[in-house]
Every structure is written in structure tokens, then in C-alpha cells.
Amino acid sequence: MATEENKDVVRRFVSECVNVHREDLLDRFAAPDVTLHPGTPDSAEATQGIDELRQAFRRFRILFPDLHVTHDLLVGEGPYVVARWTATGTHANEVAGLEPTGQQLRWGGTDIYRIEDGRIAEWWRNDDFAGLLRRLSRRVL
């Protein structure tokens, strides 16, 4: 696929699946054996499979039911697309022992996707979730 087509896969994944909470559409955007790479060195090992991705979506949607992601920048080269993004969401459920605050939060990150045959084959995530948890812990203390 051309670079612009790969970038469009990522754009559509966020707009048609993530931002409208359509977990049922994950199969359109991710390969059945998609590999998910955690973004921090102390995170768990990479996981594989659309079911793992589906579970991750569910967990995050429970925490932030109104999650919305905006792409600030998309850069592509060959099969790779790099997305710098900003997310917003209301902290609605417990995370890392922190009770829900009801606060509208904003955080960012950078993802790298490898697109194969029009779907996400690999996804590397690096976001400021640790910073988000620090901000939440200050609000509840």
C-alpha cells in the first residue's frame, strides 16, 4: 500500500472505531494476529491477537467511557505510520487503586503502526499514562 493509504487506515481506525466506541469494527482495522507492544520498558511483554486488542479496548473504555483521540500529527514511510495524538476522557472507574474522580483529563502519546494488507499488523504504544496516574493520585489525596 502507498504511504497515504496506510495513514488513512490509522485515521479511519481512530475516527470509525476508537472515537465512536465501535469495538465490533476492530476486525476491519487490525489483523487477526496483530502484535501489541507496550510503551514502557517496565511493561509486560508484547501480546498478540485481535482478542488481546479487544480486551485492551474494553479495559480502557471502562476507565474512560467518553474517550476521544485526536491526531496531532501523522507521518508515514513505507508500511509504517507514526501518530502523535492527544486524548481526552472522564475518569469514570477505578484505575491502579484510584477511585473515580469524575475529572475530565487530557494526555498524549505517540504510536507507531505497521500496516500490512490494509490492516494494523503491529502497534507500538508510548503514552503518558504514568503522568496521568500521578495527576489522578494528587486529586484524590
Side-chain angles (χ1 to χ4, degrees), residues 94-110:
E94 180 187 342
V95 59
L98 301 171
E99 293 297 321
T101 63
Q103 296 292 313
Q104 178 74 19
L105 300 167
R106 179 182 169 107
W107 69 101
T110 303

Side-chain angles (χ1 to χ4, degrees), residues 80-135:
Y80 295 96
V81 176
V82 178
R84 175 70 188 142
W85 52 267
T86 301
T88 57
T90 304
H91 178 216
N93 285 288
E94 180 187 342
V95 59
L98 301 171
E99 293 297 321
T101 63
Q103 296 292 313
Q104 178 74 19
L105 300 167
R106 179 182 169 107
W107 69 101
T110 303
D111 292 345
I112 301 171
Y113 301 90
R114 183 175 61 81
I115 309 300
E116 185 176 290
D117 298 325
R119 294 196 285 180
I120 299 164
E122 280 188 278
W123 181 0
W124 292 263
R125 157 126 308 159
N126 192 338
D127 62 19
D128 189 24
F129 200 71
L132 181 69
L133 291 176
R134 280 193 301 277
R135 289 196 314 269

